[in-house]
Amino acid sequence: MVLDPGAAAAGGLGASAAPRLPGRHGPPLCSCPSPPAPAPGPAPRCPRGTRRLSETGAGMRRSESAGGRGGMRAAASLPHIARGRGEEGGGRRSPCLLVALRPRNVEAERERFFRASFAYDPQFEYAEPVPAAVLDKYGAASDRFVAQAIRIIRAVLEKYGTYESFEVATGGRLLSKCQIWSVIRKYMQKEGCVGEVVVQLTDDLLSQAVMMVEDSRPTLAINLAGARQHWLEGMLRHEIGTHYIRGVNNTRQPWHSSEGRKQYSLKPANPTEEGLASLHSVLFRKQPFLWRAALLYYTIERASRLSFSALFQDLEQYVQDAGVRWEYCVRAKRGQTDTSQPGCFSKDQVYLDGILRILRHRQTIDFPLLAALGKVSYEDVNRLKKFGVLEKARIPHFMQDLERYMKQLDHIVTTNGLNEEELEQLLPD
């Protein structure tokens, strides 16, 4: 494993044989063992043009102060924005789009908003102008799946009363650094990628996890505040078992470059990429509710119609914690300066969108092949099969038992109140 100084990090070195495709249409006070010394030889590097950032979040932490009106805190749930290719640099990490979209005065505006008893619309400032092309691309929200989003949210609240109760009941206790280290090590061994990803443990993230490229190496940063007993492995399935493995497989395909994608007329990797990763986050939970994806989808749709303060009030019917509501509102309103106006940043709707599309077509998708072909849409899998480089392709360990995998997808459909007829009507062939 690779220890990243200053961040209680864990990674590892080593490799294992790629699995076959299943047939189917911290601090020294810690009592845990020290990380083993790195094995000789460099870990795999990410080629230029394949770098991405991904962020996972299973749930949002409640604020630490009484009534949710306390100071700034880290969130544990919000997904991340991918770094644009123009921001990729060699060597050290360059500022990503998430940084550009984060208001530089967010803490001051939060304090002012709470002092005003939520009757104020923040006026956000940004260190650099937000690219107009980005705002244009993500300026319109969809309402296509709002009814499904609301149903999922209400199902959670009906069963658990509040989201906080759901988080404690299904996520379990927060893990110590030693326990997190142990889970990470075991998971990397399962995927045969020990040593290929640097893992950092930190309390300085606004999300549960973020996958990035730093110093030309894939790096996964994990928020200590969001690492829960029953949810941590789901986060690793999201980031390592989906994004990283598909990325590694993608580097071997003839469509690994933008030119190659044009040559093979590939559809965008999203919403398949994030939909698949989000399903893997909840795959083996006893109660695999799609709360986060649903609430993000709903919040963005409402933000497109409401001011910040009105959106904050609207969310109270689903989220009582004022600190959590603030974070969802900031997420939906990022990029805006005057938040008294309707408007949204719609990228986070991709999660529920992708989830529902995959569930709709799950009986006809070859999931191991979807992983093996790299960053492709499920819609392109069948026609790309004859062109793909499948020898030594990596398949996530949790897809090896495909019968169990498919049963878990069915369980997700049932738990979230979905059904085949509804999915077919929403997404006709």
Side-chain angles (χ1 to χ4, degrees):
M1 308 291 267
V2 177
L3 182 63
D4 188 9
L13 287 167
S16 65
R20 296 167 54 193
L21 277 74
R24 183 189 189 267
H25 160 162
L29 294 177
C30 185
S31 60
C32 58
S34 299
R45 304 282 172 159
C46 283
R48 286 186 62 81
T50 63
R51 300 178 185 183
R52 68 180 302 284
L53 286 176
S54 168
E55 189 167 358
T56 308
M60 304 188 74
R61 289 196 301 128
R62 64 181 65 88
S63 55
E64 296 175 357
S65 60
R69 294 174 178 248
M72 287 296 289
R73 61 179 177 78
S77 70
L78 298 176
H80 197 65
I81 298 243
R83 178 188 304 172
R85 289 191 60 180
E87 296 168 316
E88 295 168 7
R92 298 192 63 80
R93 178 174 44 183
S94 58
C96 66
L97 186 57
L98 181 66
V99 175
L101 288 171
R102 179 177 173 80
R104 65 182 179 184
N105 64 335
V106 67
E107 294 189 24
E109 287 301 278
R110 184 187 191 279
E111 184 177 348
R112 185 173 180 180
F113 178 78
F114 278 71
R115 280 204 313 264
S117 299
F118 318 135
Y120 167 72
D121 292 303
Q123 303 296 299
F124 289 137
E125 300 173 359
Y126 300 88
E128 299 177 7
V130 180
V134 172
L135 296 179
D136 289 343
K137 181 177 181 179
Y138 297 113
S142 171
D143 63 359
R144 188 174 190 177
F145 306 123
V146 166
Q148 289 70 38
I150 292 174
R151 187 188 312 153
I152 292 167
I153 294 167
R154 288 178 176 172
V156 172
L157 298 180
E158 286 172 7
K159 185 172 181 63
Y160 295 96
T162 66
Y163 174 72
E164 289 77 15
S165 297
F166 164 70
E167 184 179 65
V168 173
T170 65
R173 57 185 170 77
L174 290 171
L175 299 177
S176 67
K177 290 182 180 180
C178 291
Q179 292 167 330
I180 295 171
W181 177 281
S182 177
V183 173
I184 292 169
R185 183 177 61 235
K186 290 176 182 177
Y187 186 85
M188 295 294 189
Q189 290 171 346
K190 290 178 183 178
E191 299 295 6
C193 62
V194 174
E196 297 178 7
V197 180
V198 176
V199 181
Q200 301 174 344
L201 304 184
T202 177
D203 55 6
D204 194 33
L205 286 180
L206 292 178
S207 60
Q208 186 185 17
V210 56
M211 190 80 184
M212 56 195 167
V213 175
E214 184 169 304
D215 295 328
S216 300
R217 297 198 62 179
T219 301
L220 174 62
I222 297 175
N223 192 340
L224 290 165
R228 289 191 172 271
Q229 180 182 8
H230 304 306
W231 287 359
L232 180 57
E233 185 160 339
M235 181 275 292
L236 295 172
R237 286 195 300 269
H238 183 123
E239 297 293 352
I240 303 298
T242 310
H243 292 315
Y244 176 70
I245 285 181
R246 273 170 50 98
V248 169
N249 289 335
N250 196 73
T251 64
R252 308 180 71 246
Q253 306 302 336
W255 48 79
H256 69 274
S257 65
S258 57
E259 294 76 14
R261 296 188 71 87
K262 292 178 182 177
Q263 178 184 344
Y264 287 88
S265 302
L266 264 61
K267 296 181 182 296
N270 272 322
T272 296
E273 178 77 16
E274 294 296 353
L276 186 65
S278 297
L279 285 169
H280 291 164
S281 293
V282 303
L283 190 63
F284 296 117
R285 293 183 190 175
K286 292 181 180 179
Q287 299 292 332
F289 284 107
L290 298 164
W291 165 277
R292 182 184 66 92
L295 187 57
L296 283 170
Y297 192 97
Y298 173 84
T299 301
I300 288 166
E301 193 279 332
R302 298 303 292 157
S304 69
R305 304 169 184 267
L306 300 174
S307 68
F308 190 105
S309 56
L311 175 64
F312 186 88
Q313 183 176 358
D314 182 87
L315 288 183
E316 187 175 12
Q317 61 185 311
Y318 302 128
V319 181
Q320 286 70 49
D321 188 288
V324 172
R325 275 185 283 150
W326 163 265
E327 290 166 356
Y328 272 98
C329 291
V330 170
R331 190 76 187 184
K333 287 290 188 178
R334 58 188 168 168
Q336 281 189 287
T337 51
D338 180 6
T339 67
S340 68
Q341 301 300 312
C344 69
F345 190 82
S346 67
K347 186 179 185 298
D348 288 342
Q349 286 193 320
V350 72
Y351 298 94
L352 187 62
D353 187 303
I355 285 169
L356 295 180
R357 291 177 190 277
I358 291 172
L359 292 177
R360 159 69 174 88
H361 296 284
R362 69 189 185 283
Q363 301 299 339
T364 58
I365 294 174
D366 187 328
F367 285 98
L369 191 58
L370 180 60
L373 291 174
K375 302 284 188 174
V376 301
S377 168
Y378 72 87
E379 298 172 273
D380 288 332
V381 167
N382 289 337
R383 71 177 183 86
L384 292 177
K385 182 176 181 179
K386 61 183 177 182
F387 304 112
V389 179
L390 301 180
E391 184 181 2
K392 297 183 179 180
R394 297 189 182 190
I395 308 300
H397 79 279
F398 50 84
M399 283 186 185
Q400 298 301 307
D401 185 344
L402 202 53
E403 181 178 358
R404 183 189 182 210
Y405 181 88
M406 296 302 296
K407 286 181 178 179
Q408 290 302 125
L409 294 184
D410 292 341
H411 183 41
I412 291 172
V413 170
T414 302
T415 299
N416 289 278
L418 304 170
N419 60 70
E420 304 305 327
E421 182 179 356
E422 177 185 29
L423 291 172
E424 290 174 5
Q425 291 176 350
L426 280 172
L427 299 163
D429 290 325

